[in-house]
Amino acid sequence: MTNFANVERRHLAALLRRVGPDAPTLCEGWRTRDLAVHLVLRSGRPDVLAGRVLPRVPVLGERARRTEQAVAGQPWEELVRKVEHPPLYSPARLGPVDKRINTVEYFVHHEDVRRAQPGWHERPLLHDEEQTLWRSLTLVAKVMLKDEEDTVVLIAPSYGAVRGGRGRTGTVRVLRAVPSELLLWTFGRREQARVEQTVE
């Protein structure tokens, strides 16, 4: 199967070129330039991400701030090129590693840009692509849903079901959709995800 992470990376880069650096995204407070900066730093500067996670370490925090500013100030086409082509030393250059760490990241962020634009429409994915997203969802669903007070059951017909949530209320929320839409819902894109929800 084709590396779905790389497919989504290329599609996202093409979309970023089309909409420009100031288009909206579903990431609160982020325009497309902010999202591109995030992806470039994630692929090539994990030390900067450490500065975000450990802001109380002054050296790391200051380095992160300066690096983010420098990357954000690059010409838009250069920034998009770096989104599309990670540096040679990036783990994203290794196919199996790229699939594992970037498939969900690039799928979700591609949809973050797509679904924030006026007149967006759903796009059908191949069965293998949906299967890949379903495998990822089954691995992360319990963690992503750990703060839900209800029991949440995600059902993807012909793929399977996964359960999460604390189950403290006695309410069971059942969501049905293809894996890609369930994954978007689980990752917080709830208003835009096309899911059918029932309460039991």
Side-chain angles (χ1 to χ4, degrees), residues 3 39 48 70 100 105 109 128 135 178 182 192 195 197:
N3 181 351
L39 292 171
V48 173
R100 182 171 295 275
E105 179 83 3
H109 285 322
D128 285 349
R135 281 195 297 268
V178 293
L182 291 173
Q192 293 78 20
V195 301
Q197 180 170 308

Side-chain angles (χ1 to χ4, degrees), residues 105-194:
E105 179 83 3
Y106 279 89
F107 169 75
V108 170
H109 285 322
H110 184 194
E111 293 301 316
D112 282 337
V113 179
R114 287 187 70 255
R115 298 186 187 212
Q117 309 314 309
W120 73 272
H121 56 85
E122 293 177 70
R123 60 180 177 127
L125 298 180
L126 298 174
H127 175 79
D128 285 349
E129 294 169 341
E130 292 283 6
Q131 184 69 54
T132 296
L133 294 177
W134 178 249
R135 281 195 297 268
S136 297
L137 181 57
T138 59
L139 293 175
V140 301
K142 290 186 185 299
V143 173
M144 297 299 295
L145 298 173
K146 65 182 174 56
D147 293 330
E148 297 289 334
E149 294 296 320
D150 301 335
T151 296
V152 179
V153 181
L154 307 175
I155 299 176
S158 81
Y159 294 91
V162 63
R163 178 181 296 258
R166 298 182 178 183
R168 292 179 175 174
T169 64
T171 299
V172 178
R173 283 185 288 153
V174 180
L175 293 100
R176 290 181 175 83
V178 293
S180 53
E181 298 295 328
L182 291 173
L183 186 141
L184 289 169
W185 187 92
T186 302
F187 275 73
R189 282 65 174 177
R190 297 190 176 183
E191 291 184 11
Q192 293 78 20
R194 300 296 174 86

